[in-house]
Amino acid sequence: MKNPIEHLNKVFESRVRLGIMSALMVNEEVNFNELKELIQVTDGNLASHLKGLEESAYIKVHKGFIGRKTNTTYSITKAGEKAFKLHIEALEQMIKFTK
Amino acid sequence: MDAQTQHLDTLKDIKKMMERSSRFISLSGLSGIAAGCCALVGAWFAYGIIHGSGGKDAYNSLMVSDVALPIHVGTTLKDYMGNALFRIAFFTFISAFVLAFIFTYIRSKKNHTPIWTSTSKRLLINVCVPLIAGGFYLLKLVENGAYGLIAPGCLIFYGLALINGSKYTLGEIKYLGYGQVLLGVINLLFIGQGLYFWALGFGVLHIVYGAIMWWKYEKVR
């Protein structure tokens, strides 16, 4: 029998990363402050998780300006979308599997 | 906690986060109830005016139109602004909007979600576009004296606006939208009864919808 755990993605193991990916799945782009409000974490914590996801090429970063203030927005990549869907499916499998 | 509930919680978290980030969820059921009450009070006043000024006199306009507007076809928009029915409509709209806003504001404070976010902006844009287009269309109908089409027009355009906005807030609002559109279409078969349909749609439907939403999401258990 196939083991569903193999599809659980280690990259998505933290609550913060799940939050980031969930928000980016349903929005074209989300900026840093909106993510911070949604997930309720500190700047540093959020930034480090965003960095991690960016390094896995699951999200894209756009640096822009609104007036003089920097406005950094994030969006999901094709690879990120695919990986996250697989992760959710794996979670669902796990639930069925253990029933 | 066993693995199963843990995964289930994770999935729930993901779902919650997707909704929170894409939908404006602070819309309060009490807002619907308040708006509905305003509409009923407004309709009651309007009823008084129509039956006070219309009656059996020459206008006899309940046959051809909804309201016995004491003005003639072809007068400018300015003349309408001084009209009692327009004043009622205006105050009804303002009081409904303000009350609805207050209850939603209170709920957003309770939820700790900010009220002015990209989700609320998206909701506002998607509701306002059909609403404003409809508004211009209705003003043109008034200018041409087609008063009987005003109430169904209000209901249909408002219903479509709600259906359009339902993707950006609690999804149930689309049923309110379908209800309004349906009432508007039925009203087209009974031109002249617009005020009753208007009161039913903007008054009763709002109150029913608001009560259900409040019961479902806000009732303190």
Side-chain angles (χ1 to χ4, degrees):
Chain A
M1 185 164 200
K2 206 170 78 178
N3 183 3
I5 298 179
E6 66 186 331
H7 290 295
L8 280 182
N9 197 328
K10 279 260 184 263
V11 180
F12 300 135
E13 248 171 20
S14 97
R15 191 191 71 90
V16 179
R17 289 183 181 198
L18 279 176
I20 295 168
M21 293 304 284
S22 310
L24 294 183
M25 281 294 276
V26 289
N27 290 282
E28 252 167 63
E29 50 174 35
V30 183
N31 72 30
F32 189 87
N33 287 332
E34 284 171 334
L35 281 174
K36 205 177 99 179
E37 248 159 30
L38 270 169
I39 307 168
Q40 314 250 314
V41 276
T42 59
D43 281 19
N45 198 345
L46 180 60
S48 76
H49 283 297
L50 283 167
K51 190 103 203 127
L53 287 171
E54 193 192 345
E55 275 162 9
S56 321
Y58 289 161
I59 63 171
K60 273 182 300 206
V61 187
H62 313 266
K63 285 192 196 291
F65 285 91
I66 296 179
R68 276 189 201 169
K69 276 165 99 184
T70 53
N71 179 43
T72 312
T73 60
Y74 300 88
S75 60
I76 201 163
T77 62
K78 277 266 177 331
E81 220 170 287
K82 204 174 155 196
F84 193 63
K85 275 184 186 154
L86 270 176
H87 183 72
I88 292 179
E89 276 165 24
L91 284 172
E92 282 169 348
Q93 283 300 315
M94 294 283 291
I95 292 167
K96 280 186 203 148
F97 189 67
T98 40
K99 245 177 204 166
Chain B
M1 190 164 64
D2 61 87
Q4 194 185 349
T5 42
Q6 197 184 330
H7 293 314
L8 209 56
D9 281 348
T10 311
L11 283 178
K12 274 184 196 153
D13 274 349
I14 291 171
K15 192 168 169 252
K16 206 173 108 194
M17 199 55 80
M18 285 178 167
E19 286 195 343
R20 271 176 70 105
S21 66
S22 65
R23 288 167 188 263
F24 180 69
I25 51 162
S26 295
L27 205 60
S28 170
L30 296 176
S31 293
I33 297 178
C37 293
C38 288
L40 286 182
V41 172
W44 185 73
F45 276 115
Y47 183 85
I49 285 189
I50 291 165
H51 288 259
S53 72
K56 292 173 203 130
D57 68 15
Y59 287 110
N60 213 355
S61 44
L62 284 176
M63 295 298 291
V64 284
S65 66
D66 271 335
V67 289
L69 285 171
I71 34 179
H72 300 282
V73 176
T75 38
T76 60
L77 205 59
K78 241 184 183 168
D79 299 326
Y80 295 106
M81 293 309 169
N83 182 276
L85 282 176
F86 275 84
R87 255 176 293 166
I88 291 173
F90 181 75
F91 282 117
T92 304
F93 175 75
I94 294 293
S95 50
F97 185 83
V98 169
L99 280 177
F101 178 81
I102 289 171
F103 284 117
T104 290
Y105 182 79
I106 292 171
R107 184 162 180 221
S108 82
K109 278 272 161 293
K110 259 188 218 156
N111 280 354
H112 304 291
T113 40
I115 200 158
W116 191 238
T117 57
S118 52
T119 55
S120 58
K121 276 177 232 170
R122 249 181 299 182
L123 173 63
L124 211 60
I125 290 169
N126 280 281
V127 169
C128 282
V129 168
L131 219 50
I132 291 171
F136 279 113
Y137 187 76
L138 292 172
L139 280 178
K140 207 67 201 165
L141 284 182
V142 171
E143 260 182 45
N144 288 293
Y147 305 122
L149 295 176
I150 305 289
C154 284
L155 288 164
I156 290 171
F157 278 112
Y158 180 61
L160 293 177
L162 290 183
I163 295 168
N164 202 38
S166 66
K167 296 184 282 293
Y168 305 101
T169 181
L170 299 166
E172 287 89 339
I173 208 164
K174 69 170 171 285
Y175 300 111
L176 179 62
Y178 291 139
Q180 306 282 10
V181 171
L182 191 69
L183 270 180
V185 171
I186 297 173
N187 189 3
L188 288 175
L189 305 173
F190 300 95
I191 300 287
Q193 308 293 316
L195 190 59
Y196 300 109
F197 281 92
W198 196 94
L200 203 60
F202 285 92
V204 178
L205 275 193
H206 268 146
I207 293 173
V208 170
Y209 163 81
I212 293 173
M213 294 306 278
W214 181 82
W215 190 266
K216 190 166 170 190
Y217 292 107
E218 292 162 71
K219 199 175 69 142
V220 186
R221 281 163 222 268

